[in-house]
Amino acid sequence: MSEGIAPCPGLTRRSFLKTTGVLAGVAAAGTAVMPKLQALAEEGGRKTSSEDQVFHGVCRGNCMNGCPLEIHVRGGKVARVRNAECPDPQYNRICLKGITHPQRIYSPDRPLYPMKRVGERGSGEFERITWEEAIGTICSKWEELRKEHGPAAIGFWSQSGSFGLLNGCHYLGAYNRLMGKLGAIPISGAIDMNYYTASSAMYGGGLSGSYNEITDLRNARTVIAWGTNFTEAQMQSWHFLADAIEAGCKVVVIDPSFTTLASKADLFVPIRPGSDAVLAFAMANILIEEDLIDVPFLLKSTVAPFLVKEDGTYLRMSDLGVAPTEGPVNAQTGKPSVVDPIVVWDEAKGEPRAEGEAASPALKGSYQVEGHAVRTAYDLLLDRIREYPPEVATDICDVPIETMREIVRLYTGNKPASIFQGFGYDRYYNGHSTFTAIGAFAMLSGNIGKPGSSAGICQPGPIPIDMSRCFGPIRQVANVDDSVVDHGQSSYTAGVLAHKLLEALETGMYNGSKFVMKSIYINNCNPLNYVVDRQTLIKVFDKMELVVTADIRMTDTSPYADIVLPAAHWFEVDDFTCGTAFLTPYVCLQEKAVEPPGECKSDYEILNLLAKGMGWPEVYDDLSPQEAMQYLLDTDTAKKYGVTWERLQREKIIRWFPEEEYIYGADGTFSTPTKRAQFYFEKLTPSMDWGQEIDEELERLPFFIPPQEAWPENPLFEKYPLTCFQEHTRWRVHSNFSEVPWLRELDPEPTVKINPVDAKARGIVDGDMVRVFNDRGQAVVKAILSEGIRPGMCNMPKGWQACQYVEGHYNDLSSRETNPYVANSQFSDLLVEIEKA
């Protein structure tokens, strides 16, 4: 590690110790336990001491693996962590991060008591206070703000720091109850939304998309790994693909850079970053040209034969004078659904028929139907695809035509075949259209919904709990106190986009409504590390009257808080996970293995204290963690999948997927409104709404537009000629684990990887300290020369804390501009220059 750079809690240790003595106890515990941990690491194997108490747990950060764990406790301390035995031994796994949890628990820099800021915001100067003072300060300010400005003056911000049901992120956690009761605004950091929005639109399945259970990789004869750094970002699951390779599976890796995964590939395709949709269109043209389209799949399981009117909507039977009928009751609205079948053209009869009633639905064609000019959705898709034949695409995506044909030959001729996607192209302005273009390519080939054939990032599976129990109050109480006047503010139930917060605060308007926000409560996330355009977000915090963070460590965000609440570690709470670790088909119990140190409290306990401080004890109804978990699982939904609280206590791990290997769409249907895989999108709803306009004609089908910034035709390219991307490495999960000493020994400091050609042009040699910069900011880091980096690019791995840089921060470089249809963070759609520091 370079001189002056050390593992740190988000502020300098000296300034932290200057104003508080809260660390002494944990420092002593850490000093005592570290030699034992070192000895255990050297011991290796699965040897268990007779002194150990063993508890069941689960690693629940956002690496999407959710590894079940055994937690070994010796002398009241967590001494070691290893993988638990799963019902299916293929899921027995743990990574290098998982075994370092004891160092997180016993970190000498871990906050143990509530603290309040005493210096300037960002200075990291705090003093110890009591829990009573902390809760009283927060609740009195919230009451004041709600009375003066309405409930929307309070923002709640949670992301994916932990996927626990009681002590976890906003997707599922008990956190939502208090947010709902307050009427607070959820703040969205807009992460991964290009994939989730596109995948849900194409295949349904919520967040996950059309992907089979990860074990199904062994059934594939060809896997296209597209935009994924599988061996690094999801290394716990890499063995599934490795097993497939050993069984003879051919692997194609499409990635701008040569990764560890690329070294295992039969074919490596170094594509121009941000041009992936063009490659998908070119290969779709090859499918059509070589008559490799799966027509039966398109007709039965996609929207291909649906007739589309000139206004962009489907022709329905009601357009032909047939009145809609009532269908099953919608579980969410409680009202009957409307059945109004979409129309196809029956070639056998030469007339329009309702979907499912045509003997021979037409795949192609234009028709006049009772005054409506219509075309098949497939015809409309062909119009888009034809814009990028291989001869045009090769110059755009920098992939030879013969390579395109080779990929198609493998994908269609060596079946079954899957596309295993990553978030590489999610981080661009055009990312969502990249996913839909690749999805259309997969649909045309018919490589979806079969053993060994799928297309997506992570397996979906059912969710074995009733989500309303996570979001709604335990007792039927009003969500907003009747005594609070909303002062004309919208409810913002869909949330507010972080990228637009500063503008909203300065103008007092958001999406056409009055906007006032004065307080932000931050739980299970580190916004000042993962949100784009970090300097702008600091200005947002400067405008707040109260910022609160609750975390197990001091993060980049903590120094900007007014109140810091010390949260318990994952092993110090009772909890469970399900439906969140998408590469694991299990409900996993987390048993409380040790008591939290100092005055640390679980998220669930902190939320209870805040609810009571606001005078709302009914929000959590004084349920113990065990009672709350039993409540969450006492539903028909959980019972449908064989999940009960009693069984979970007994077995610790329960598979909720069907007992056979899970194949998404195996019956030829998908959980979309049409029950089909969709490449045409009739109803367009932006992922978030801030008053923007969208191009509906463009968005109805897959398309290609260049990245917003990182493209050679951008005039800014002359000033900043390097495209910069942010790699997910094996050493961190976002910023989680960034402070762990063992991992810092192996990965000691922030770096930027650059091709030797680009380094030589700038007089940079391996190991130089360099300045990576653009008009928005800079970061001073060590240069690593790598032939694996495509010339014209650089790679600055994400997740380092601000205090670990010599100067600057990686997210000082990124842009907060976002696509109007899918609000997403464009971490890699940015240009930089590099010079010696």
Side-chain angles (χ1 to χ4, degrees):
M1 181 168 289
S2 296
E3 189 67 24
I5 302 178
C8 53
L11 63 161
T12 66
R13 182 167 172 78
R14 181 173 182 178
S15 67
F16 186 64
L17 292 173
K18 180 178 179 180
T19 55
T20 178
V22 303
L23 299 175
V26 77
T31 302
V33 79
M34 289 308 166
K36 294 182 180 180
L37 288 172
Q38 184 64 40
L40 285 167
E42 294 168 354
E43 177 183 302
R46 295 183 61 84
K47 187 176 178 182
T48 300
S49 168
S50 59
E51 302 173 9
D52 287 1
Q53 290 180 285
V54 180
F55 296 85
H56 191 273
V58 56
C59 201
R60 48 195 181 273
N62 189 19
C63 65
M64 301 168 70
N65 285 279
C67 300
L69 303 174
E70 283 185 2
I71 304 163
H72 290 243
V73 175
R74 193 173 303 167
K77 304 279 185 205
V78 175
R80 69 181 303 190
V81 181
R82 71 185 193 191
N83 63 276
E85 296 288 342
C86 294
D88 181 346
Q90 292 182 91
Y91 288 104
N92 293 351
R93 55 193 178 175
I94 191 171
C95 77
L96 72 175
K97 296 182 290 291
I99 64 172
T100 67
H101 276 294
Q103 287 198 319
R104 301 194 78 201
I105 295 172
Y106 302 114
S107 168
D109 293 314
R110 184 177 172 184
L112 297 180
Y113 305 94
M115 295 180 290
K116 70 176 180 181
R117 178 172 59 84
V118 294
E120 293 294 318
R121 182 165 275 149
S123 67
E125 296 180 6
F126 294 90
E127 67 180 14
R128 177 180 174 178
I129 58 175
T130 65
W131 272 104
E132 290 75 13
E133 182 180 351
I135 298 299
T137 300
I138 296 166
C139 292
S140 62
K141 174 55 72 172
W142 283 355
E143 288 174 346
E144 172 191 323
L145 294 175
R146 282 164 54 82
K147 289 177 182 177
E148 183 176 354
H149 303 291
I154 302 167
F156 264 43
W157 201 334
S158 182
Q159 205 67 40
S160 58
S162 172
F163 280 119
L165 268 293
L166 297 184
N167 308 276
C169 66
H170 71 287
Y171 305 133
L172 296 172
Y175 164 99
N176 293 283
R177 298 179 180 281
L178 181 59
M179 180 174 66
K181 176 63 175 174
L182 279 166
I185 306 176
I187 301 172
S188 171
I191 308 295
D192 304 340
M193 292 311 298
N194 277 329
Y195 171 71
Y196 292 143
T197 303
S199 182
S200 295
M202 288 189 291
Y203 312 115
L207 297 180
S208 307
S210 179
Y211 209 82
N212 301 344
E213 185 169 352
I214 190 70
T215 54
D216 178 60
L217 280 173
R218 70 170 183 266
N219 298 319
R221 304 305 300 161
T222 298
V223 171
I224 300 177
W226 203 332
T228 176
N229 195 9
F230 197 30
T231 50
E232 303 295 316
Q234 294 174 325
M235 61 183 300
Q236 303 94 312
S237 295
W238 149 244
H239 72 88
F240 292 113
L241 183 53
D243 291 343
I245 292 172
E246 283 192 5
C249 178
K250 299 294 184 183
V251 175
V252 177
V253 170
I254 303 175
D255 197 299
S257 295
F258 189 81
T259 62
T260 306
L261 181 59
S263 72
K264 310 300 180 186
D266 296 276
L267 178 62
F268 170 55
V269 184
I271 192 171
R272 186 190 304 280
S275 68
D276 303 78
V278 174
L279 177 59
F281 285 148
M283 294 193 300
N285 274 297
I286 294 172
L287 289 175
I288 296 164
E289 171 196 329
E290 299 187 4
D291 196 23
L292 297 171
I293 301 297
D294 189 335
V295 174
F297 178 80
L298 288 172
L299 290 174
K300 177 187 175 183
S301 297
T302 79
V303 297
F306 289 178
L307 297 179
V308 181
K309 298 184 293 186
E310 291 180 311
D311 66 359
T313 62
Y314 290 129
L315 181 70
R316 286 182 160 76
M317 293 303 291
S318 59
D319 294 314
L320 309 184
V322 179
T325 59
E326 285 190 359
V329 173
N330 185 309
Q332 293 181 332
T333 65
K335 298 179 180 179
S337 57
V338 177
V339 179
D340 188 5
I342 298 169
V343 178
V344 300
W345 185 262
D346 190 339
E347 289 183 312
K349 298 283 188 179
E351 63 183 21
R353 299 295 296 271
E355 173 212 351
E357 296 180 4
S360 180
L363 183 62
K364 300 172 65 175
S366 300
Y367 308 92
Q368 286 288 330
V369 181
E370 296 190 16
H372 298 283
V374 293
R375 299 179 68 191
T376 65
Y378 179 73
D379 259 8
L380 297 173
L381 176 64
L382 293 185
D383 287 349
R384 290 284 173 89
I385 290 172
R386 291 189 185 109
E387 295 177 26
Y388 297 98
E391 296 75 19
V392 172
T394 185
D395 292 331
I396 298 174
C397 61
D398 198 21
V399 176
I401 295 174
E402 183 50 41
T403 299
M404 299 177 190
R405 295 189 182 279
E406 186 176 357
I407 298 170
V408 171
R409 281 195 294 269
L410 282 169
Y411 189 54
T412 60
N414 193 42
K415 292 184 177 182
S418 286
I419 299 177
F420 192 93
Q421 296 174 285
F423 288 104
Y425 34 81
D426 174 272
R427 277 71 168 114
Y428 290 83
Y429 185 83
N430 62 4
H432 69 288
S433 59
T434 298
F435 283 110
T436 55
I438 294 172
F441 171 64
M443 291 178 213
L444 290 172
S445 73
N447 278 319
I448 296 175
K450 307 176 180 91
S453 295
S454 54
I457 286 180
C458 40
Q459 62 201 29
I463 302 296
I465 59 169
D466 185 344
M467 296 296 293
S468 65
R469 293 210 163 195
C470 290
F471 287 83
I474 292 175
R475 302 296 183 210
Q476 295 303 310
V477 294
N479 275 347
V480 180
D481 191 332
D482 293 336
S483 67
V484 176
V485 180
D486 78 357
H487 293 267
Q489 295 196 87
S490 163
S491 63
Y492 305 105
T493 54
V496 172
L497 179 61
H499 306 31
K500 304 294 180 182
L501 264 178
L502 183 61
E503 179 184 350
L505 290 169
E506 290 177 343
T507 63
M509 298 292 291
Y510 184 87
N511 194 18
S513 296
K514 178 183 175 183
F515 183 87
V516 177
M517 182 179 286
K518 298 290 186 179
S519 175
I520 300 176
Y521 182 83
I522 300 166
N523 166 267
N524 276 300
C525 70
N526 184 8
L528 279 174
N529 188 280
Y530 82 86
V531 171
V532 290
D533 196 358
R534 176 174 170 271
Q535 291 300 321
T536 292
L537 185 57
I538 289 173
K539 294 176 183 177
V540 168
F541 286 165
D542 285 342
K543 292 180 178 294
M544 294 297 109
E545 294 182 15
L546 177 68
V547 176
V548 182
T549 62
D551 212 307
I552 66 172
R553 63 194 179 113
M554 298 298 286
T555 67
D556 275 354
T557 308
S558 302
Y560 294 86
D562 300 287
I563 301 289
V564 171
L565 303 178
H569 181 272
W570 305 346
F571 298 170
E572 297 164 352
V573 302
D574 289 296
D575 211 332
F576 75 103
T577 65
C578 64
T580 55
F582 298 119
L583 297 178
T584 304
Y586 298 118
V587 178
C588 295
L589 180 65
Q590 171 65 63
E591 296 176 311
K592 184 176 181 179
V594 292
E595 289 295 328
E599 293 182 6
C600 296
K601 297 182 184 295
S602 71
D603 291 343
Y604 183 65
E605 188 175 0
I606 293 170
L607 293 166
N608 266 279
L609 289 173
L610 290 168
K612 290 178 179 178
M614 294 298 293
W616 302 326
E618 70 277 8
V619 173
Y620 298 99
D621 206 32
D622 278 331
L623 295 184
S624 69
Q626 290 76 16
E627 290 171 329
M629 288 188 281
Q630 183 173 9
Y631 169 80
L632 290 172
L633 290 173
D634 186 20
T635 68
D636 292 339
T637 306
K639 291 171 185 174
K640 174 183 175 182
Y641 298 110
V643 180
T644 65
W645 171 239
E646 291 74 21
R647 185 183 171 196
L648 185 60
Q649 286 181 296
R650 182 174 65 254
E651 298 180 21
K652 318 298 184 187
I653 306 176
I654 302 174
R655 180 183 172 93
W656 82 84
F657 277 27
E659 287 305 313
E660 65 276 7
E661 200 159 55
Y662 185 77
I663 308 298
Y664 185 68
D667 62 354
T669 65
F670 298 85
S671 56
T672 61
T674 62
K675 303 302 179 185
R676 293 173 175 238
Q678 303 182 149
F679 57 74
Y680 184 86
F681 312 109
E682 180 189 28
K683 295 181 180 179
L684 296 169
T685 303
S687 66
M688 298 196 72
D689 193 353
W690 61 90
Q692 76 278 26
E693 294 184 2
I694 62 172
D695 186 338
E696 292 195 0
E697 183 178 355
L698 181 71
E699 296 286 353
R700 289 193 189 280
L701 287 155
F703 62 91
F704 170 73
I705 55 173
Q708 185 182 49
E709 179 171 309
W711 198 247
E713 295 174 6
N714 183 354
L716 196 64
F717 192 79
E718 293 186 11
K719 185 178 181 181
Y720 300 115
L722 296 175
T723 298
C724 184
F725 70 99
Q726 297 176 359
E727 176 189 12
H728 284 240
T729 72
R730 66 181 59 193
W731 313 110
R732 291 173 295 284
V733 181
H734 302 292
S735 66
N736 270 328
F737 300 93
S738 62
E739 76 286 5
V740 175
W742 279 354
L743 300 178
R744 296 294 65 77
E745 288 180 30
L746 300 168
D747 180 45
E749 62 187 306
T751 60
V752 61
K753 298 177 184 177
I754 183 173
N755 187 279
V757 172
D758 294 319
K760 184 177 180 180
R762 292 162 175 78
I764 296 169
V765 299
D766 195 61
D768 276 351
M769 297 305 294
V770 297
R771 175 175 172 256
V772 185
F773 65 98
N774 59 20
D775 289 342
R776 290 181 290 269
Q778 66 168 350
V780 176
V781 296
K782 179 180 283 187
I784 296 178
L785 275 56
S786 171
E787 296 279 1
I789 301 297
R790 178 188 172 98
M793 294 188 71
C794 64
N795 169 18
M796 194 154 60
K798 66 172 295 183
W800 291 100
Q801 295 268 69
C803 59
Q804 293 170 315
Y805 288 89
V806 175
E807 291 181 29
H809 193 278
Y810 72 105
N811 264 335
D812 287 348
L813 298 160
S814 53
S815 167
R816 62 191 170 104
E817 292 302 314
T818 188
N819 189 290
Y821 186 61
V822 180
N824 195 60
S825 296
Q826 300 166 200
F827 296 113
S828 298
D829 198 342
L830 66 104
L831 294 173
V832 301
E833 180 57 287
I834 299 178
E835 63 183 15
K836 290 184 70 171

